[in-house]
Amino acid sequence: MVESVSAYNKLEDLLRDLVDECRQYTKLGHVATYIPILSKADPNKIGICIHTIDNKEIAVGDVDDEFSIQSISKTISLIITYTLIKDMNIIKNTFGVEASANKFNSLIQLETLSDIPTNPMINSGAIACAGLLVDKISFDEFIDFARKLCDSDKIRLSEETYMSEKTTGFRNYAIAYLLKSKNIIKTDVEKTLDFYFKMCSLLVTARSLSRYGSVLANGGTAPWSKTSLIDYKTARRTKTLMQTCGMYDASGYFALDVGMPTKSGVGGGLLSIADNKCGIGVFSPSLDEKGNSVAGCRMLEILSRTLKLHNFDKDYSIIDRLL
Amino acid sequence: MVESVSAYNKLEDLLRDLVDECRQYTKLGHVATYIPILSKADPNKIGICIHTIDNKEIAVGDVDDEFSIQSISKTISLIITYTLIKDMNIIKNTFGVEASANKFNSLIQLETLSDIPTNPMINSGAIACAGLLVDKISFDEFIDFARKLCDSDKIRLSEETYMSEKTTGFRNYAIAYLLKSKNIIKTDVEKTLDFYFKMCSLLVTARSLSRYGSVLANGGTAPWSKTSLIDYKTARRTKTLMQTCGMYDASGYFALDVGMPTKSGVGGGLLSIADNKCGIGVFSPSLDEKGNSVAGCRMLEILSRTLKLHNFDKDYSIIDRLL
Amino acid sequence: MVESVSAYNKLEDLLRDLVDECRQYTKLGHVATYIPILSKADPNKIGICIHTIDNKEIAVGDVDDEFSIQSISKTISLIITYTLIKDMNIIKNTFGVEASANKFNSLIQLETLSDIPTNPMINSGAIACAGLLVDKISFDEFIDFARKLCDSDKIRLSEETYMSEKTTGFRNYAIAYLLKSKNIIKTDVEKTLDFYFKMCSLLVTARSLSRYGSVLANGGTAPWSKTSLIDYKTARRTKTLMQTCGMYDASGYFALDVGMPTKSGVGGGLLSIADNKCGIGVFSPSLDEKGNSVAGCRMLEILSRTLKLHNFDKDYSIIDRLL
Amino acid sequence: MVESVSAYNKLEDLLRDLVDECRQYTKLGHVATYIPILSKADPNKIGICIHTIDNKEIAVGDVDDEFSIQSISKTISLIITYTLIKDMNIIKNTFGVEASANKFNSLIQLETLSDIPTNPMINSGAIACAGLLVDKISFDEFIDFARKLCDSDKIRLSEETYMSEKTTGFRNYAIAYLLKSKNIIKTDVEKTLDFYFKMCSLLVTARSLSRYGSVLANGGTAPWSKTSLIDYKTARRTKTLMQTCGMYDASGYFALDVGMPTKSGVGGGLLSIADNKCGIGVFSPSLDEKGNSVAGCRMLEILSRTLKLHNFDKDYSIIDRLL
């Protein structure tokens, strides 16, 4: 039982028990079906990797299985937006920063509340970001940046996922054209969507996400190279938006009970952060009805409680003892 | 200029300059008018008080002026709800924990998204809480608890505010009856509203709010008596909900740029928390269009940046030097 | 089979077969339950009465059973509003005249689309009307007028229905207070609701409704007394609003397939009009999911087709032959 | 003054005065700008043509000026849908028949109320119709049918309008993709939109619309050839839907004050019907804020009152005298 944390001497042992204990929760969800290729995922997969700001890495389970990054890519497009767009007014006219209690692919608030997407962590906001970026960087540059963040040359585009998104993602087309009609997307819609679909189709692993998380936890500086990949303030903003809006319409519940900035993707990945301590990458593609990994969320919840990683309940001496 | 923090040796000096610097912002807003009595407030008032978990208190400006607590009382009703209602299912069927990008007095999400209020920090959620509490405690007990939290016997009901709320708060009646029609309020509507209007009509001061904040910052234990007033987990939940939903539909912006759990009230008060360090009470009744104190928010923003109090950018050595 | 209209010589025979044929449909619905007293209605009751502008009356079935008028009273409050309020700007600021695809008791459009109720045939619009009337006429005068329209002294208030509405109609309270908060109701909310609940609680019969309908069909003049009870233009407006908004969110379907101005009530009544020919009163309290009488709607649909009473398919020679 | 109808002996004289009197109203509106080509229209143009079911035609003003049919084409796609799709369930799963108080190009009700467009007279409903038709008929066949309805070989596609729609109608793309995501459009979105944009881009005249109206007024039979162009029941349904939903979110007002089935288009056209008497075609491209021709609506309103053409106030002896 993981919760008896004092019984452990090594984090790896604890993580192994955690994975074993939470494997049962994969039965409670379903792999995503909204694009055909996602439905081919193996619902039994489960893995977790922790990468500390001291560059230690503890990995258990299916941490090297590739899966599509999906919505977790919204954090990368956000970082690039904050990095490349210096005029804050352009950003303020493109997306808001308020959490939304609506579904991730909702169009309602675009129609009723404001003319801009509520935040950059839902589809409309990320598509609006893509509209800002598509004329500024090539998608190869996007991949390059993702590889640096994840310290992995293996990050690459899944052509199959990309084609699946492109040929069936009709609601995203609807969102993009609505943004175009409101002049929030100022460039070509098809090019914007292409960029967005490609972003979502990057293949990552739990291990690579944990490294990316450690960069954010470390204020933007890569633990392995000591070079700054993300501006400190941009890292802070990204963590905050993950905290308030990262888990779709379960963000509030997650902030309450887990309390770590986390972003999920319907590919089954979770990118989580214990600030100033470590990044956590999780993979388990069986999803709950909100679109979040069932076993993955459960693992983070138990970990937060056991290791005291909650934002308002931090005590890093516990994890330090196990590292 | 407050931002040159190294030029200061005492927090009091810094706060004095902060108040002087931010007084100009009171001109940019307006006192609340939605109930008549609020419009009588003096828009030029401004004060800030910091109370640390070591029981130090630094106060500058109009910190002993009484004003009505308004929505800040929603944190107290939430704490009592978590304390008295042991069955989490009852709580889950009464309010959600997701942030909302809607106005504080909106009825829309009650109709379109779910049958329960989105969270306990907006009117509908707090009225639903009042419905849970009204048959369990008397309002005198509510005041008693508020006095303990604020370490002040002066906390008392403003009959004038209460009558103003009661005779003009029609939208709150609408919300309460809608909750009754959905059976979320299971008891008498008029009694529930009475409790709610009274809650909002407590007179507090910036000084008393800073003390209340220090209890939350300290995990629920009063710095002055070392007695636990709030269960540790309840304190954590309250701070989290203040962080995600405390500033109406500006909560996301506030989490991003200030990054301290904060709850505002249209009486001009702000209750803010630097976790594990101090509570901050602010008073300045000139409000922006979201209903938050203009100068108050500005003071917290500058303070967060200068003293490094942001959730994802903490460095308490700076404030420690000044204390 | 009623549809072989040529086989009939007398309208009464046709109506008798119609009632027999449609009695089965009472099994497909349910009596209303939203206020307790309505659930006591006998779902097997069915009756229809036709009253012509030549003052002929043909009645079959349970035409003298009393039931509460419910929403059909909205036509009377509308007529009185058009009669008493001479300043059209007051009316235009109180309710719109557009049909709504929302439920009869919806609050959404009040929040999202405009500040006034969409039309006077839904609860919000009728409550807004009541707010205009309550300071201008006594409820006794309302009853008197209803008696004249229905040529019946038996029209009276059901105290039991009224008390049931008053003690359980929480959503209507919510609507009324929302209207008050928007200053659409300018007088006392409780008095307004009292008037509204009483309006809904009048006891009528299918026979009395048919007479009321004949007045409207006859341009406002009572066939029995040749006196004008309703201004011609007001009668025209009332018929139009019954046509476009009379059947809740089934108004469009009804206009399409039946094509007679009709207003339904959840008491099981239907007031229908073949313009320039006759009024039709129907009673059958088993309702469909929209809140309209199942068997009643079916009778009107068959009658419209068989006797060619549809607005855009009129041939009164058929009914004239049978009268 | 047109209202003194007894002073006239010929309808043509009355119409001439009507046009003169209403020309001033063209100053109160603006030509459409939502696609670039519409903004080139001459706002001073005004014309009206009446075509009776006896094949008489009275035309005054700019009745032979070509303009794009825009939303009036929605009546034609509706007629073809009712004609070609025999399975009513397919139709019921494609669009509703309820009026909507929302803007013509709204997406909200698609998200909140039901999964199908509220009615076939708003963009979403007509695009859904186009999705049913595009695999069943060629656009040449659509034009051919339009020519027959209008008794004019001059009806033709404006390539310029079509290209303007296609390159700037982003909101319509959004609607179409949303319908595709809900599987209401089952065929290719681009092909469907192409069909829809072409429909809207037909060039018609007030004269040709009056003829089309006379066919509907005559139960589907062309007055000039005595051949049935539209099934009787389909004509009835089309008139009903024009009555309840033909004037965007001013349909209710129009039904109340004008009371003739009418469909407007943002090209400045109006197709109106005095059932069993005549069709009326109107052209005047200066629009009010709802998107309806200002002077055109005013002409129809005066005509309805003067000639007693209102649905619930008909007296055709007046127009008969003038014909």
Side-chain angles (χ1 to χ4, degrees), chain B residues 93-202:
Chain B
N93 291 328
T94 304
F95 57 83
V97 293
E98 297 303 315
S100 152
N102 292 90
K103 291 289 290 175
F104 66 94
N105 57 8
S106 176
L107 292 98
I108 292 179
Q109 291 193 321
L110 264 180
E111 286 286 87
T112 55
L113 274 182
S114 70
D115 275 335
I116 57 167
T118 317
N119 68 64
M121 293 295 170
I122 54 175
N123 291 15
S124 55
I127 293 171
C129 271
L132 287 182
L133 300 184
V134 68
D135 292 334
K136 295 210 155 41
I137 61 165
S138 69
F139 190 70
D140 280 348
E141 292 173 295
F142 187 95
I143 293 189
D144 272 351
F145 184 58
R147 285 175 174 169
K148 277 184 194 145
L149 290 174
C150 295
D151 194 28
S152 165
D153 285 346
K154 294 185 187 148
I155 307 293
R156 62 192 169 87
L157 180 69
S158 161
E159 279 290 338
E160 198 182 356
T161 305
Y162 163 59
M163 287 313 297
S164 200
E165 299 273 1
K166 193 182 175 76
T167 53
T168 62
F170 302 118
R171 180 171 274 266
N172 287 326
Y173 282 86
I175 290 170
Y177 278 107
L178 189 57
L179 293 171
K180 179 70 182 177
S181 77
K182 291 167 181 286
N183 203 29
I184 294 165
I185 291 178
K186 294 180 196 298
T187 187
D188 186 70
V189 175
E190 300 279 339
K191 271 176 63 187
T192 298
L193 275 170
D194 215 57
F195 195 94
Y196 175 76
F197 289 142
K198 282 180 176 165
M199 269 168 50
C200 296
S201 305
L202 284 191

Side-chain angles (χ1 to χ4, degrees), chain B residues 81-101:
Chain B
T81 300
Y82 278 134
T83 305
L84 293 186
I85 313 293
K86 298 300 181 197
D87 182 348
M88 275 304 286
N89 282 323
I90 293 178
I91 292 181
K92 281 186 179 162
N93 291 328
T94 304
F95 57 83
V97 293
E98 297 303 315
S100 152

Side-chain angles (χ1 to χ4, degrees), chain C residues 82 97-102 109 113 118 232 236-237 239-241 243-244 248-253 255-257 261 275 310-314, chain D residues 82 97-102 109 113 118 232 236-237 239-241 243-244 248-253 255-257 261 275 310-314:
Chain C
Y82 277 134
V97 293
E98 298 303 314
S100 152
N102 291 89
Q109 291 192 321
L113 274 182
T118 317
Y232 183 84
R236 194 191 77 200
R237 280 177 169 154
K239 285 180 278 194
T240 303
L241 282 161
Q243 175 89 358
T244 52
Y248 308 125
D249 47 322
S251 299
Y253 150 78
L256 201 66
D257 281 0
D275 198 33
H310 190 292
N311 226 22
F312 295 117
D313 182 23
K314 266 181 221 162
Chain D
Y82 278 135
V97 294
E98 297 304 315
S100 153
N102 291 88
Q109 291 192 321
L113 274 182
T118 317
Y232 182 84
R236 195 191 76 201
R237 280 176 168 155
K239 285 179 280 194
T240 304
L241 282 161
Q243 175 89 0
T244 52
Y248 308 126
D249 47 323
S251 299
Y253 149 77
L256 202 65
D257 280 1
D275 199 32
H310 190 293
N311 225 22
F312 294 118
D313 183 22
K314 265 182 223 162

Side-chain angles (χ1 to χ4, degrees), chain C residues 19 23 46-48 59-65:
Chain C
V19 164
R23 198 180 297 276
I46 181 167
I48 186 167
V60 170
D62 306 314
V63 295
D64 294 312
D65 281 51

Side-chain angles (χ1 to χ4, degrees), chain C residues 97-241:
Chain C
V97 293
E98 298 303 314
S100 152
N102 291 89
K103 292 289 290 175
F104 66 94
N105 58 7
S106 177
L107 292 98
I108 292 179
Q109 291 192 321
L110 264 181
E111 286 285 87
T112 55
L113 274 182
S114 69
D115 274 336
I116 56 168
T118 317
N119 68 64
M121 294 295 171
I122 53 175
N123 292 16
S124 56
I127 292 170
C129 271
L132 287 182
L133 300 184
V134 69
D135 292 333
K136 296 212 155 35
I137 61 166
S138 69
F139 191 69
D140 280 349
E141 292 172 295
F142 188 95
I143 294 190
D144 272 351
F145 184 58
R147 285 176 174 168
K148 277 184 194 144
L149 291 174
C150 294
D151 194 29
S152 164
D153 286 346
K154 294 183 187 149
I155 307 294
R156 63 190 169 88
L157 180 70
S158 160
E159 280 289 340
E160 198 182 356
T161 304
Y162 163 60
M163 287 312 297
S164 200
E165 299 272 1
K166 194 181 174 75
T167 52
T168 63
F170 302 118
R171 180 172 273 266
N172 287 326
Y173 282 88
I175 290 170
Y177 277 107
L178 190 55
L179 293 170
K180 179 71 181 175
S181 77
K182 291 167 180 285
N183 203 28
I184 295 165
I185 291 179
K186 294 180 196 296
T187 186
D188 186 71
V189 175
E190 299 279 339
K191 272 177 63 186
T192 299
L193 275 170
D194 213 58
F195 195 94
Y196 175 76
F197 288 143
K198 282 180 176 165
M199 271 169 48
C200 296
S201 304
L202 284 191
L203 293 177
V204 293
T205 64
R207 187 186 299 275
S208 55
L209 287 180
S210 76
R211 292 177 188 172
Y212 171 23
S214 74
V215 178
L216 285 167
N218 201 32
T221 300
W224 47 89
S225 66
K226 313 298 181 208
T227 58
S228 172
L229 298 177
I230 309 167
D231 172 71
Y232 183 84
K233 193 172 178 185
T234 295
R236 194 191 77 200
R237 280 177 169 154
T238 306
K239 285 180 278 194
T240 303
L241 282 161

Side-chain angles (χ1 to χ4, degrees), chain D residues 81 85 90-91 94-95 127-136 184:
Chain D
T81 300
I85 313 294
I90 292 176
I91 291 180
T94 304
F95 57 83
I127 293 171
C129 271
L132 287 181
L133 299 184
V134 68
D135 292 334
K136 294 210 156 39
I184 294 165

